[in-house]
Amino acid sequence: MDNVKKIISTALIMLTLSGVAPAQTDSMTYKGPKTSDYPRHELGVSYGLFPIIGVVPYGKYEKYKDLHPFIQGDIIWSGSANVYYRCWFNRHNSLSLDFSWAMYKHQSRLATDINGNDFYHSPTDIRYYRNTYVHYFSVQFGYNVHYYTTEKVTLYSSLFVGFTTYYYGDLYPVEDKHSGYSFAPSLHVNFLGLSVGKNNAATFELGYGTQGVLKFGYNYRF
């Protein structure tokens, strides 16, 4: 948890310092369709490798195993699919709304706690996960700082905070009537992002969090 605090503190310092960066010369300004200085809006999709989920275990199922990969030291090999909208309010700053999805396969269908112990010691009371996979749905708001903006190239960093819904289906026997989802706070830090293109651009990001450590995607500016 100390490492996570250091990462967040570093990201906040980077964003604060770069947010007050001096304006760039007019010869390098973005010349998009809506403004002579910067795009007004972006819509984008991306795929992130190795999303980090479960940094902040929370909710009534926080003690269950196979729900918080980060705490258990596991990797989500399936990656993360992301969709976002970004609104620029000047050449150096913008806000984002991001939706992400990832999934993680249970190591065991038996519902156990983080120490591997089943919750019910009677053979007739043991619970099992109904679904093979846990699904993670994240909604996050982001703040972006754009260090360098030209007509076709943008360098930027971002900080996202929000929440993640952990959906793993019902536990059975079904007569237990246990809900198959829970919520937890979540975050994502983009240390360095690169957008290459004018109105249609390719994006590459190096970060830490729910959206993936390495991200690549496409965005449309208008």
Side-chain angles (χ1 to χ4, degrees), residues 45-87:
V45 295
S46 65
Y47 176 77
L49 299 174
F50 316 122
I52 299 171
I53 298 176
V55 175
V56 185
Y58 187 78
K60 59 183 177 180
Y61 298 110
E62 64 179 295
K63 295 182 179 180
Y64 276 57
K65 191 177 180 181
D66 285 352
L67 299 184
H68 309 283
F70 175 80
I71 298 298
Q72 297 162 205
D74 295 329
I75 297 175
I76 301 178
W77 295 103
S78 61
S80 177
N82 312 288
V83 178
Y84 76 87
Y85 164 73
R86 181 174 298 166
C87 179

Side-chain angles (χ1 to χ4, degrees), residues 10-180:
T10 302
L12 289 173
I13 293 172
M14 291 172 55
L15 293 175
T16 301
L17 292 177
S18 57
V20 296
Q24 300 159 11
T25 61
D26 291 339
S27 62
M28 295 191 301
T29 57
Y30 176 86
K31 301 184 184 300
K34 295 297 183 180
T35 174
S36 60
D37 295 321
Y38 54 91
R40 293 294 188 185
H41 310 280
E42 287 184 26
L43 290 175
V45 295
S46 65
Y47 176 77
L49 299 174
F50 316 122
I52 299 171
I53 298 176
V55 175
V56 185
Y58 187 78
K60 59 183 177 180
Y61 298 110
E62 64 179 295
K63 295 182 179 180
Y64 276 57
K65 191 177 180 181
D66 285 352
L67 299 184
H68 309 283
F70 175 80
I71 298 298
Q72 297 162 205
D74 295 329
I75 297 175
I76 301 178
W77 295 103
S78 61
S80 177
N82 312 288
V83 178
Y84 76 87
Y85 164 73
R86 181 174 298 166
C87 179
W88 295 54
F89 50 92
N90 60 44
R91 290 183 61 232
H92 295 289
N93 301 275
S94 63
L95 296 175
S96 298
L97 176 62
D98 181 273
F99 299 90
S100 302
W101 167 80
M103 66 179 184
Y104 170 70
K105 188 175 182 179
H106 287 300
Q107 297 177 12
S108 171
R109 297 296 289 273
L110 175 64
T112 62
D113 64 17
I114 56 177
N115 296 316
N117 302 313
D118 60 79
F119 286 92
Y120 298 88
H121 302 290
S122 168
T124 59
D125 241 357
I126 294 177
R127 294 175 182 169
Y128 296 85
Y129 295 116
R130 182 172 293 278
N131 289 10
T132 304
Y133 293 89
V134 188
H135 296 271
Y136 304 98
F137 302 93
S138 300
V139 179
Q140 297 175 324
F141 293 94
Y143 171 64
N144 314 281
V145 172
H146 307 271
Y147 309 110
Y148 177 78
T149 304
T150 69
E151 187 175 7
K152 293 184 178 181
V153 177
T154 301
L155 293 176
Y156 59 96
S157 293
S158 315
L159 176 64
F160 290 82
V161 293
F163 68 91
T164 298
T165 301
Y166 295 60
Y167 178 79
Y168 56 87
D170 296 331
L171 294 175
Y172 66 90
V174 294
E175 58 267 18
D176 288 344
K177 302 297 183 182
H178 278 268
S179 176

